[in-house]
Amino acid sequence: MSDPFVVVGGDAAGMSAASKARRAAPDRDIVVFERGEWVSYGACGLPYYVKGEIQSLEDLVSVTPEEFREERDIDLRTGHEVVAIDTDERTVTAESESGTVVQPYGHLLIATGAESVVPPVDGVDREGVYTLGSMSDGKELREYVARARDDADLQQPDRGLACRYLEDCTGPVAVVGGGYIGIEMAEALAANDFEVNLFQRGDRVLKGFSDETSEYVAEHLRDEDVVLHLDAEVRALSGDDRVEAVVTADDRIEVEMVLLGTGVRPRTDLAEAAGIELGETGAIAADAYRETNVPDVYAAGDCAEATHVVTGEPAYVPLALTANRHGRAIGRTVTGTPTEGGDIAGTAAVKAFDSEAARTGILDPEEARAAGFDPVTETVTAKSRAGYYPADGTVTVTLTADRDSGRVLGASLVSEYGEGAVHRSHAIVAALEAKATVTDVENYDLAYAPPFNTTWDPVLVAAKVLAGTLRDTDMEP
Amino acid sequence: MSDPFVVVGGDAAGMSAASKARRAAPDRDIVVFERGEWVSYGACGLPYYVKGEIQSLEDLVSVTPEEFREERDIDLRTGHEVVAIDTDERTVTAESESGTVVQPYGHLLIATGAESVVPPVDGVDREGVYTLGSMSDGKELREYVARARDDADLQQPDRGLACRYLEDCTGPVAVVGGGYIGIEMAEALAANDFEVNLFQRGDRVLKGFSDETSEYVAEHLRDEDVVLHLDAEVRALSGDDRVEAVVTADDRIEVEMVLLGTGVRPRTDLAEAAGIELGETGAIAADAYRETNVPDVYAAGDCAEATHVVTGEPAYVPLALTANRHGRAIGRTVTGTPTEGGDIAGTAAVKAFDSEAARTGILDPEEARAAGFDPVTETVTAKSRAGYYPADGTVTVTLTADRDSGRVLGASLVSEYGEGAVHRSHAIVAALEAKATVTDVENYDLAYAPPFNTTWDPVLVAAKVLAGTLRDTDMEP
């Protein structure tokens, strides 16, 4: 009773930590404060909920609040917002409808997550402008989609002008941001017969991936009648009460809805106010055990930075697996078994209509040079199955390595959905974590059979080609 | 002219070596002797040719003899059987229809491949008994299939008794051996409406894979009406001229054809006669550069052993990728750039009807103990995509590690075809090559998105569970 483990935030990191701590310490007091009503939900599934492939928001929840309370004996307090942390007194203060509580802690985990970045332009507060950061965002979007489809069924003849490309258009909408959320939402909306305008500030979608991956995915988006607006920074969302158009430097596109997929930033206010240090990335800094500068105070999930396995430097890559893994490690550490959370590789995957893509490690040459590497990159397109096998898919692999050491730095892979770009990226992640060289990868004894790859899997083909380039450039004066 | 690179055997290892040497040394004399007419063919594709998914044997050839001769300037002599190697004189003697030639060599590569093992039982020489080791084997089998189907169309009413299970049976046939060739051929024959009886000496198919993988694949075979005869050592193939039945200790099954998929053994006669040493595995021994005990004489492909990355000991695992990789390394070595061929991990993959399976490393407890390890194994079945995603596949992963060091020793994975067991095995291969521990794998930052896996990929789930078991057993007295 005197040494409670207190968690602020009831999503992946927080609930993983609480669950792991419970298994390790059956008698420990474990208190979780969550300001909303949902806990342990799969935010990554929201685009598929909006799309209509998942029927109920509840389906995204892996463990319900009741299960946490009753089966895992965790004192989970939803509807409680933590408003202050006192690291001297070792307490947190939480407010709820029933008043204010001051909760002492023995160990504290800050898992406050991230919030959607709203670009600083006129009109983002108009009706019809959405983000997709929370379950309630998902609910509102799905309701919008259903409403718009009903309206379209009634009024189709009046909407022809705005929907320029599609015959049975539900209405033209905008997605701002060509990252994975933007692309998944473009798919979700297009599947519901919206004409989707995708606005990307830079000159390509999926900027963390390779150029070739971006181009491949962009082609798929265009094939599916998504209208790509590249180099198109949004200046304003115009309209009266309701958004009516997206305004860029060159254009004004009429839309009926805008989804902002312009990234997230860590929620750090609470930690900062308590004197907990942030790192250079702007997220909460933590050591290998995920402990902050304040003893017994941990941070994990989308509010915290982590160590990048390639650079050895802190990085901010807010994704679900890291949150789970770090939460789990903290649950063990605070119950007596110090456990490192492990590094990150900046790995990400996305399905874009009928294509799939993954990236991992460091691909950007400037980023690589800043970390002391001399990056060399090759891209190959290789058959995804034996050439004679009755299927003709390909996988395009971009591989980057350091010129002198040959160490693999990063990769980006893309293929048709089902041709295995994403699962093949697993091999490169393992190579990054092992600090393997391109020659090491070239010699991987990967599984081969005609229905799955060519004798040299596309990953090996990329390694062969890049190893050759490294050898050739070695010989230059 | 004075220092030719001579290759004996024109398949994967030989032609890879010749091609690589040509690229590195445009003026070198490169002579390849191949006793047959086919070179550089994908024997792994033969089951799909017999099945009918590949229309022509030529489709299996990646580079034709003409291309090797004309585009790659390789002196390829098909129809030439090398009958002697003289390592003192540094010559090989080859016979062909046009006589005998004695060819001097500067470097020699022995790439004589493997031959099908025919079990020492009565009747294996009867008509209607096939193996699948060569292109001509494939041709004969496909012709048999076509002929039998034609006959069946004409005579169906007379064949009802022998085909016990299937309505439109082409005829009952036997496949002897439940390895990957046996299983691929069972699929090929079943797809052509044969009733397939699969005879396996041991108690499960795919004995190099985990029990759970074997059981999963066996279920798929049974679902497809393959009649599995386990613990069924074949005693004789009875009949008159033509095979009529497979006889085991307990049973006599009438069949119209028998395919022997009972493994291969290295073709080493030529090397042995020349004083080249074999290893304990019975295949030709070679060092890291694939050089034999005789200087300047190399061995690669299905006639040679290789070093296993887990045990550090020689192993005989005759597969296409190793042949290609070792051939390529030799091509570089003999042209002035010493290049190691790389180790093997004993990786293999197979598609069995609608399932897929892969294995890598050391799974057999006795084999692990013989190599000085104390193996601990866990098997998990985990969802292949997010639980809420509209698909409900699973991947079953068996993972083995050493108790004390935690080092990963091997894995076996199985799933429905398309759910990614094979491509996921790539991560474990990379882990084996890096000598990674289970905790290392548990911390891999693998790609995640709902259409591809759960937040913890099945590979990570297996690592988590096995790491937990290792920790628990650590604490035992």
Side-chain angles (χ1 to χ4, degrees):
Chain A
M1 294 292 279
S2 57
D3 183 35
F5 175 36
V6 175
V7 175
V8 184
D11 200 1
M15 298 319 296
S16 294
S19 298
K20 192 70 192 172
R22 169 56 70 234
R23 280 194 291 278
D27 299 325
R28 182 84 180 260
D29 268 4
I30 301 175
V31 184
V32 178
F33 293 107
E34 164 57 42
R35 62 179 186 171
E37 293 306 317
W38 298 93
V39 298
S40 187
Y41 56 89
C44 312
L46 286 173
Y48 304 97
Y49 171 71
V50 176
K51 186 177 180 183
E53 288 185 340
I54 297 166
Q55 290 318 313
S56 154
L57 268 185
E58 278 75 16
D59 291 344
L60 298 182
V61 174
S62 53
V63 184
T64 65
E66 292 65 39
E67 286 166 337
F68 278 116
R69 290 181 187 122
E70 285 157 30
E71 293 169 22
R72 301 195 185 177
D73 191 24
I74 288 167
D75 183 359
L76 167 61
R77 304 188 199 168
T78 49
H80 281 66
E81 176 150 24
V82 171
V83 294
I85 298 169
D86 185 330
T87 59
D88 294 327
E89 296 295 322
R90 299 169 74 94
T91 61
V92 304
T93 303
E95 291 178 351
S96 73
E97 283 186 359
S98 43
T100 299
V101 291
V102 176
Q103 169 68 47
Y105 67 79
H107 294 97
L108 177 67
L109 167 57
I110 301 176
T112 42
E115 61 200 356
S116 300
V117 169
V118 175
V121 300
D122 184 53
V124 291
D125 49 357
R126 286 192 211 289
E127 239 183 276
V129 180
Y130 297 85
T131 56
L132 187 66
S134 67
M135 295 289 264
S136 54
D137 289 346
K139 193 154 175 282
E140 282 177 31
L141 268 164
R142 172 125 163 183
E143 283 164 4
Y144 169 79
V145 167
R147 220 164 44 233
R149 293 194 64 156
D150 285 348
D151 288 356
D153 284 346
L154 296 172
Q155 304 166 15
Q156 189 64 36
D158 300 335
R159 300 162 79 96
L161 267 182
C163 287
R164 291 166 299 177
Y165 295 91
L166 303 177
E167 272 194 19
D168 301 312
C169 180
T170 305
V173 296
V175 172
V176 181
Y180 58 91
I181 290 282
I183 284 177
E184 286 169 352
M185 283 305 300
E187 176 181 327
L189 292 164
N192 281 284
D193 300 323
F194 289 91
E195 177 190 287
V196 178
N197 292 271
L198 183 65
F199 294 87
Q200 171 75 333
R201 194 169 51 180
D203 62 358
R204 62 186 178 99
V205 297
L206 290 176
K207 72 179 161 64
F209 293 63
S210 71
D211 287 350
E212 291 81 359
T213 298
S214 296
E215 193 42 53
Y216 190 102
V217 169
E219 281 302 313
H220 272 259
L221 295 173
R222 290 189 188 102
D223 286 349
E224 301 283 345
D225 295 318
V226 172
V227 187
L228 270 188
H229 304 267
L230 298 177
D231 288 317
E233 186 166 11
V234 173
R235 297 285 176 85
L237 305 180
S238 70
D240 288 329
D241 288 352
R242 199 173 163 83
V243 67
E244 286 169 16
V246 174
V247 181
T248 66
D250 308 319
D251 221 341
R252 184 183 183 283
I253 307 289
E254 282 183 28
V255 297
E256 301 184 349
M257 183 273 261
V258 175
L259 184 276
L260 298 173
T262 39
V264 298
R265 74 176 139 240
R267 276 206 198 91
T268 56
D269 293 359
L270 187 65
E272 274 186 282
I276 291 159
E277 282 176 11
L278 306 188
E280 274 184 31
T281 68
I284 302 172
D287 67 12
Y289 296 91
R290 316 303 312 145
E291 196 171 20
T292 68
N293 65 308
V294 178
D296 296 330
V297 177
Y298 295 78
D302 292 359
C303 64
E305 58 184 33
T307 304
H308 197 293
V309 71
V310 175
T311 64
E313 297 294 323
Y316 179 61
V317 185
L319 287 173
L321 175 58
T322 311
N324 274 274
R325 196 168 34 146
H326 285 180
R328 202 162 166 272
I330 291 165
R332 286 173 52 78
T333 298
V334 301
T335 51
T337 310
T339 303
E340 296 193 8
D343 293 344
I344 59 167
T347 313
V350 65
K351 172 178 177 293
F353 295 95
D354 292 328
S355 70
E356 61 174 82
R359 60 91 61 220
T360 188
I362 303 291
L363 287 163
D364 180 55
E366 282 181 37
E367 211 179 323
R369 280 191 281 269
F373 299 110
D374 180 7
V376 181
T377 297
E378 286 287 359
T379 297
V380 304
T381 294
K383 292 196 165 110
S384 55
R385 299 164 206 265
Y388 50 76
Y389 197 76
D392 62 350
T394 59
V395 183
T396 298
V397 182
T398 303
L399 194 62
T400 295
D402 177 49
R403 189 183 308 267
D404 292 336
S405 65
R407 184 175 158 192
V408 178
L409 303 177
S412 183
L413 302 92
V414 68
S415 71
E416 298 294 297
Y417 184 55
E419 295 304 307
V422 171
H423 294 148
R424 279 178 168 98
S425 75
H426 286 8
I428 306 293
V429 173
L432 294 179
E433 309 249 6
K435 300 184 169 45
T437 66
V438 179
T439 303
D440 291 336
V441 175
E442 191 183 354
N443 284 339
Y444 280 174
D445 187 19
L446 298 184
Y448 158 63
F452 307 102
N453 42 15
T454 46
T455 313
W456 298 87
D457 189 271
V459 164
L460 300 177
V461 175
K464 276 204 299 186
V465 171
L466 182 53
T469 303
L470 291 177
R471 279 192 294 262
D472 292 346
T473 57
D474 265 1
M475 283 178 256
E476 283 173 9
Chain B
M1 293 293 277
S2 58
D3 184 35
F5 174 38
V6 174
V7 176
V8 185
D11 200 2
M15 298 320 294
S16 293
S19 298
K20 191 71 194 172
R22 170 55 69 233
R23 279 193 292 279
D27 300 326
R28 182 86 180 258
D29 268 3
I30 301 175
V31 183
V32 179
F33 293 107
E34 163 57 41
R35 62 178 187 172
E37 293 307 318
W38 298 94
V39 298
S40 187
Y41 57 89
C44 311
L46 286 173
Y48 304 97
Y49 171 71
V50 175
K51 186 177 180 182
E53 287 184 340
I54 298 166
Q55 290 319 313
S56 154
L57 267 185
E58 278 75 15
D59 291 343
L60 298 182
V61 174
S62 53
V63 185
T64 66
E66 292 65 40
E67 286 166 338
F68 278 116
R69 290 180 187 122
E70 284 156 31
E71 292 169 24
R72 302 195 184 177
D73 190 25
I74 289 167
D75 183 358
L76 167 61
R77 305 189 199 168
T78 48
H80 280 67
E81 176 150 24
V82 173
V83 294
I85 298 169
D86 186 329
T87 60
D88 293 326
E89 296 294 323
R90 298 170 75 95
T91 60
V92 305
T93 302
E95 292 179 349
S96 72
E97 283 185 357
S98 43
T100 298
V101 289
V102 175
Q103 169 68 47
Y105 67 79
H107 294 97
L108 176 67
L109 167 58
I110 301 175
T112 42
E115 61 199 355
S116 300
V117 170
V118 175
V121 301
D122 183 56
V124 291
D125 49 356
R126 288 192 208 291
E127 235 183 276
V129 180
Y130 296 85
T131 55
L132 187 66
S134 68
M135 294 289 264
S136 55
D137 289 345
K139 190 152 176 285
E140 282 177 32
L141 267 165
R142 173 129 163 178
E143 283 163 5
Y144 169 78
V145 166
R147 218 162 46 233
R149 292 194 64 154
D150 285 348
D151 288 355
D153 285 346
L154 296 173
Q155 301 166 19
Q156 188 64 34
D158 300 335
R159 300 161 78 95
L161 266 182
C163 287
R164 291 167 300 175
Y165 295 90
L166 303 177
E167 272 195 17
D168 301 312
C169 180
T170 305
V173 295
V175 172
V176 181
Y180 58 91
I181 290 281
I183 284 177
E184 287 168 352
M185 284 305 300
E187 177 181 325
L189 292 164
N192 281 285
D193 300 323
F194 289 92
E195 177 190 286
V196 178
N197 293 271
L198 183 65
F199 294 86
Q200 170 75 334
R201 193 169 52 180
D203 61 358
R204 61 187 179 98
V205 297
L206 290 176
K207 71 179 162 66
F209 293 61
S210 70
D211 287 350
E212 292 81 359
T213 298
S214 296
E215 192 43 51
Y216 190 103
V217 169
E219 281 301 313
H220 273 259
L221 295 173
R222 291 190 187 102
D223 286 349
E224 302 283 345
D225 295 318
V226 172
V227 186
L228 270 189
H229 304 266
L230 299 177
D231 288 318
E233 187 166 10
V234 172
R235 297 285 175 86
L237 304 180
S238 70
D240 288 329
D241 288 352
R242 198 173 165 82
V243 66
E244 286 168 17
V246 174
V247 180
T248 66
D250 308 320
D251 222 341
R252 183 183 183 283
I253 308 289
E254 283 185 26
V255 297
E256 302 185 349
M257 182 272 262
V258 174
L259 184 276
L260 298 173
T262 39
V264 299
R265 73 175 140 242
R267 276 205 199 90
T268 57
D269 293 358
L270 187 65
E272 274 185 282
I276 291 159
E277 283 177 10
L278 307 188
E280 275 183 30
T281 67
I284 302 172
D287 67 12
Y289 296 90
R290 318 301 315 144
E291 195 172 20
T292 67
N293 65 308
V294 178
D296 297 328
V297 177
Y298 296 78
D302 293 0
C303 65
E305 57 185 32
T307 303
H308 197 293
V309 71
V310 174
T311 64
E313 297 293 323
Y316 179 61
V317 186
L319 286 172
L321 175 59
T322 310
N324 274 274
R325 196 166 32 137
H326 286 179
R328 202 163 166 272
I330 291 164
R332 287 171 52 78
T333 297
V334 300
T335 50
T337 311
T339 303
E340 297 194 7
D343 293 344
I344 59 166
T347 313
V350 65
K351 172 177 176 294
F353 295 94
D354 292 327
S355 69
E356 60 175 82
R359 61 92 59 220
T360 188
I362 303 292
L363 287 162
D364 180 54
E366 280 180 39
E367 211 177 324
R369 280 190 282 268
F373 299 110
D374 180 7
V376 181
T377 297
E378 286 285 358
T379 296
V380 304
T381 295
K383 292 196 164 108
S384 56
R385 298 164 206 265
Y388 49 76
Y389 197 77
D392 61 350
T394 59
V395 184
T396 298
V397 182
T398 303
L399 195 62
T400 295
D402 178 47
R403 190 184 305 269
D404 291 336
S405 64
R407 184 173 159 194
V408 177
L409 303 177
S412 182
L413 301 92
V414 68
S415 70
E416 298 295 296
Y417 185 54
E419 295 303 307
V422 170
H423 294 148
R424 279 179 169 99
S425 75
H426 286 9
I428 305 293
V429 173
L432 293 179
E433 309 250 4
K435 301 185 170 44
T437 66
V438 179
T439 303
D440 291 337
V441 175
E442 191 183 354
N443 284 339
Y444 280 173
D445 187 20
L446 298 184
Y448 158 62
F452 307 103
N453 42 14
T454 48
T455 313
W456 298 87
D457 189 272
V459 164
L460 300 177
V461 176
K464 277 205 296 184
V465 170
L466 182 54
T469 303
L470 291 177
R471 281 192 293 264
D472 291 347
T473 56
D474 265 1
M475 286 179 253
E476 283 173 10

